[in-house]
Amino acid sequence: MPREVRERQMLDAAVEVFARRGYSAASMDEIAELAGASKPLVYLYLNSKEDLFSACIRREAEALMTAVRTAADPGDRADRRLWHALRAFFAHTAEHPAGWAVLSCQARTHGEPFALVVAGLRQQIADLVTQLIAESVRDAACAAPLDEKEVSGLAHALVGAAESLAGWANATAQAGPAAPAARETAATLMNVAWVGLENLVNGRRWAPVRS
């Protein structure tokens, strides 16, 4: 079997085990058994448990970012690009629940260098969303322009909401058959984000009531 294929099988098995057991409790024996390989072969190809975990995180992060970027067609309007990017995000996390569990839970709880990879992924997605929001503001007949800090803050809030919704959608899917589709989940977030942004660019802002 070609090494590339064997490594992919090992990574697939490792993602499943890390998602189910967590990094600390996951065993190389279980990973090797699930991959249909010997433990010495896993060590030969991927060096150590830490290196294997790092490889899983990098692969899952790259796959998610590729799915999001590919969906956001540069020729579309900003709102359509954001819509397609959100649909791709929720579709990918639903189709790869173990990979998302590794990225969203396991990698963040074990410090550097694992958390740094996830932080880099989050920043890439936030940068893309920041660009889309900025473009939408430029394209609109904006009665109340937004400054760069506000646009960046909105983008990071949207990314955080997307991460939370993905976790909720996957947990709902595991609980029963009534899980929301990626389209429904993306529409939920678009209704919050885009309607709110439309109000902002037209000068309609919420303000706290003075007590």
Side-chain angles (χ1 to χ4, degrees), residues 86 89-90 100 108 121-130 153-165 189:
L86 287 175
F89 177 85
F90 290 120
W100 178 240
R108 292 180 173 178
L121 169 69
R122 194 175 194 277
Q123 188 59 55
Q124 288 183 62
I125 295 176
D127 288 344
L128 175 60
V129 175
T130 298
L154 288 169
H156 280 80
L158 184 60
V159 171
E163 292 171 346
S164 180
L165 271 174
L189 194 50

Side-chain angles (χ1 to χ4, degrees), residues 103-144:
L103 287 176
S104 62
C105 300
Q106 301 302 329
R108 292 180 173 178
T109 60
H110 294 285
E112 298 182 9
F114 308 135
L116 290 178
V117 176
V118 178
L121 169 69
R122 194 175 194 277
Q123 188 59 55
Q124 288 183 62
I125 295 176
D127 288 344
L128 175 60
V129 175
T130 298
Q131 178 186 344
L132 296 178
I133 293 175
E135 288 175 1
S136 70
V137 170
R138 285 197 302 268
D139 293 344
C142 191

Side-chain angles (χ1 to χ4, degrees), residues 38-101:
S38 66
K39 186 164 73 169
L41 187 61
V42 175
Y43 277 112
L44 177 65
Y45 279 17
L46 294 156
N47 301 320
S48 67
K49 182 178 176 181
E50 180 176 328
D51 287 343
L52 177 57
F53 192 50
S54 294
C56 289
I57 294 168
R58 287 195 303 273
R59 188 186 75 163
E60 297 305 314
E62 289 169 4
L64 177 56
M65 194 63 223
T66 297
V68 171
R69 285 195 181 280
T70 301
D73 186 346
D76 276 345
R77 300 191 317 267
D79 63 327
R80 297 293 298 173
R81 291 175 67 195
L82 180 58
W83 164 243
H84 289 304
L86 287 175
R87 285 186 63 183
F89 177 85
F90 290 120
H92 187 89
T93 54
E95 290 165 7
H96 303 86
W100 178 240

Side-chain angles (χ1 to χ4, degrees), residues 142-179:
C142 191
L146 309 181
D147 61 31
E148 291 183 6
K149 182 183 291 187
E150 191 165 23
V151 169
S152 179
L154 288 169
H156 280 80
L158 184 60
V159 171
E163 292 171 346
S164 180
L165 271 174
W168 167 78
N170 281 2
T172 304
Q174 292 174 6

